[in-house]
Amino acid sequence: EFRALGKRAFDMNILQTFFNMVMPRAVPYVKMVFPVRLIDKDVADFFTSTFEENVKYREKNKVLRHDFVDLLMQLKNKSNADTEGIDADILPAQAFVFFLAGFETSSSTLGNVMTELAYNQDVQDKVRAEVQRVLNKHGGNISYEALSELTYMEQVIDETMRLYPAASNMVRMTNDDYVLPTTGADGKPAVLPKGVKVII
């Protein structure tokens, strides 16, 4: 069910894509006038209820797993003079975004790795030899230690991600004026003013 609903989260029709991806950047107030859901309600409800049930179970049974959900729970419960707690309504959304960030990106990266290995037989042979050597050394067991020895495979994955990045760019907004470590054409310091969107 997770896989099917996760896949549906990426299935947007033209209208959803236009109103959620294009319009907020072009004319920000239009989305307020014409709200269109980015994610289908049943998909959002499933992930929200799953997250909330998980949190309730962990709180009731004092379960600590040292994972992302634990971090979100700590943020929710944290409130002192220096730090404000986080709104509980935001937590399921954060968990959902975290889930989505690893959903398509992982499968796309693996698909790209396999494609590159198919095109580059010599690299495929080296990866295969490394995997066989490491598995033989560890008695055929796949463990953290064994995986950490697959250095060539890691290089292949890293190079594939360089060639086919999962996220082609990120948009961030400056919180404060930022003086770049270079000068502008006029010889003066180049400054990114507060509130400017930067595409990375």
Side-chain angles (χ1 to χ4, degrees), residues 113-151:
V113 167
M114 295 303 163
T115 301
E116 285 299 320
L117 288 176
Y119 281 123
N120 298 283
Q121 186 66 47
D122 57 327
V123 175
Q124 183 185 137
D125 292 341
K126 281 185 180 179
V127 169
R128 188 168 187 270
E130 181 182 61
V131 169
Q132 288 176 327
R133 179 182 54 76
V134 170
L135 285 178
N136 288 338
K137 178 181 174 184
H138 291 272
N141 295 319
I142 299 173
S143 63
Y144 177 80
E145 291 75 21
L147 290 175
S148 66
E149 292 179 29
L150 297 173
T151 54

Side-chain angles (χ1 to χ4, degrees), residues 2-119:
F2 265 97
R3 189 176 189 291
L5 290 170
K7 195 169 173 57
R8 278 188 51 207
F10 288 96
D11 293 336
M12 283 189 273
N13 63 40
I14 297 294
L15 185 65
Q16 286 173 311
T17 303
F18 181 74
F19 272 99
N20 287 295
M21 303 296 183
V22 178
M23 290 306 289
R25 290 194 173 118
V27 189
Y29 66 86
V30 170
K31 191 173 178 196
M32 291 181 233
V33 178
F34 301 105
V36 176
R37 294 185 69 88
L38 181 60
I39 306 293
D40 288 339
K41 186 176 182 339
D42 60 323
V43 174
D45 289 346
F46 170 79
F47 281 98
T48 299
S49 64
T50 301
F51 177 81
E52 289 172 348
E53 287 169 17
N54 190 293
V55 168
K56 283 178 189 171
Y57 177 84
R58 290 183 187 205
E59 288 175 341
K60 180 182 176 186
N61 297 292
K62 307 283 189 241
V63 175
L64 185 65
R65 292 195 174 162
H66 304 289
D67 60 6
F68 187 66
V69 175
D70 280 350
L71 290 174
L72 291 175
M73 290 170 62
Q74 288 172 20
L75 281 173
K76 180 186 83 162
N77 298 328
K78 191 174 193 174
S79 59
N80 58 40
D82 299 327
T83 310
E84 290 183 20
I86 190 169
D87 186 354
D89 294 339
I90 295 174
L91 298 178
Q94 292 297 319
F96 184 57
V97 168
F98 190 77
F99 169 78
L100 289 182
F103 187 79
E104 283 291 318
T105 54
S106 299
S107 59
S108 297
T109 298
L110 287 174
N112 290 329
V113 167
M114 295 303 163
T115 301
E116 285 299 320
L117 288 176
Y119 281 123

Side-chain angles (χ1 to χ4, degrees), residues 25 101 165-174 196-200:
R25 290 194 173 118
S168 58
N169 64 54
M170 295 184 292
V171 179
R172 296 291 183 257
M173 185 178 290
T174 55
V196 167
K197 289 184 180 176
V198 179
I199 299 175
I200 302 168

